Amino acid sequence: MEGKNVCIRELADPVQINDCRKKVAANEKSFTQLSAILSLAGNDVRLKILYLLEEEKELCPCDLSDILGMSIPAISQHLRKMKDGDIVGSRKVGQTILYSLRTEHLKLLRPFFKIINQVNLKTETV
Amino acid sequence: MEGKNVCIRELADPVQINDCRKKVAANEKSFTQLSAILSLAGNDVRLKILYLLEEEKELCPCDLSDILGMSIPAISQHLRKMKDGDIVGSRKVGQTILYSLRTEHLKLLRPFFKIINQVNLKTETV
DNA sequence: TCATTATTTAAGCAAATGCTTAAATAATGA
DNA sequence: TCATTATTTAAGCATTTGCTTAAATAATGA
């Protein structure tokens, strides 16, 4: 951004622009946090994992690997990302580690699962 | 995936696993489509753009560049991605191109804006 | 027609992503 | 104690992402 390539039109409403700047500034943290969660859900594999955890309550990396036909390390790395992002949690039972959805962000995530099931319903009826 | 590194535990419930596989298979397309949209929203800059379009109804790349303090090409490339993903549309007025949210996916996106504004409210009251 | 303005496109590049394979941890049970 | 099982971690690598700068399009108005 070298100040070049900048529009200088008079159509621009400086009040509106300034208003928008303030809105963005006031919500900076929300944008960062929300976009982080959305980018976690914005991956095919992770969205499937989240969906399966919602359906089954708890699953281990091993099960997920079986279900999704992916290597255990690949699954494990996805789970770690989501754990770091606080959208999944885990408990240990023997040598098995059971992952589950954390409740904090369920309000955000649940509509996604609903959408998935709705579309499913649609294709089933056809 | 070389079949190696696979858990062979007896704890696994083969019925459950198979059930899960079916659920995933039945919704394959939904996962792909939904995760694509979420990954678009799962970026700080794009989430801000979406939020601003919701608030202001229409904005041009130039305005967005001003508001977000980013180069015009950077903004333009984000807008193109979202246009390709069908979550924004555009109309031309003279040499200005006005971008806006497409209605199709608003049901999915609106809760995000709500969350942003809620958090904003909270911090304002403090 | 030509300079100006708004936008897009393209090439280049550093950083992030998502897998792979191999090795490291940790719990279990013989 | 030692082999087995479940999981994580780490290194390597190809691909994708998101910016930059420079050049290409396209509309406007003198």
Side-chain angles (χ1 to χ4, degrees), chain A residues 5 8 12 23-24 28 32-33 40-41 47 54 65-66 68 73 78 80-82 85-86 91-92 102 104 124:
Chain A
N5 225 349
I8 327 156
K23 282 181 191 173
V24 171
E28 202 61 56
T32 306
Q33 290 173 352
L40 284 174
L47 188 58
E54 162 82 354
S65 161
D66 269 13
L68 299 177
H78 280 302
R80 183 154 69 108
K81 276 201 173 188
M82 294 196 283
D86 282 331
R91 70 184 182 103
K92 206 165 191 172
R102 294 194 54 171
E104 289 95 312
E124 270 181 58

Side-chain angles (χ1 to χ4, degrees), chain A residues 1-125:
Chain A
M1 272 279 287
E2 290 304 306
K4 266 180 48 175
N5 225 349
V6 167
C7 303
I8 327 156
R9 76 206 178 299
E10 293 122 82
L11 278 82
D13 177 351
V15 179
Q16 182 191 28
I17 301 285
N18 208 45
D19 206 57
C20 285
R21 280 212 198 93
K22 279 186 201 156
K23 282 181 191 173
V24 171
N27 293 306
E28 202 61 56
K29 216 176 280 179
S30 311
F31 288 118
T32 306
Q33 290 173 352
L34 181 54
S35 67
I37 297 175
L38 293 178
S39 83
L40 284 174
N43 169 284
D44 206 56
V45 175
R46 285 194 297 267
L47 188 58
K48 285 175 186 169
I49 293 177
L50 292 171
Y51 174 81
L52 288 167
L53 291 180
E54 162 82 354
E55 291 280 316
E56 308 295 321
K57 304 310 166 201
E58 285 187 323
L59 287 168
C60 62
C62 183
D63 285 339
L64 287 166
S65 161
D66 269 13
I67 296 165
L68 299 177
M70 294 182 56
S71 76
I72 303 244
I75 296 291
S76 178
Q77 283 157 19
H78 280 302
L79 287 170
R80 183 154 69 108
K81 276 201 173 188
M82 294 196 283
K83 203 175 177 187
D84 289 346
D86 282 331
I87 61 179
V88 308
S90 66
R91 70 184 182 103
K92 206 165 191 172
V93 177
Q95 45 184 338
T96 303
I97 297 179
L98 292 173
Y99 283 85
S100 56
L101 294 180
R102 294 194 54 171
T103 50
E104 289 95 312
H105 300 296
L106 268 186
K107 209 173 294 180
L108 178 65
L109 298 178
R110 242 194 262 276
F112 305 160
F113 309 140
K114 213 179 199 172
I115 286 172
I116 292 165
N117 282 326
Q118 275 172 0
V119 179
N120 185 30
L121 211 67
K122 225 186 282 173
T123 46
E124 270 181 58
T125 347

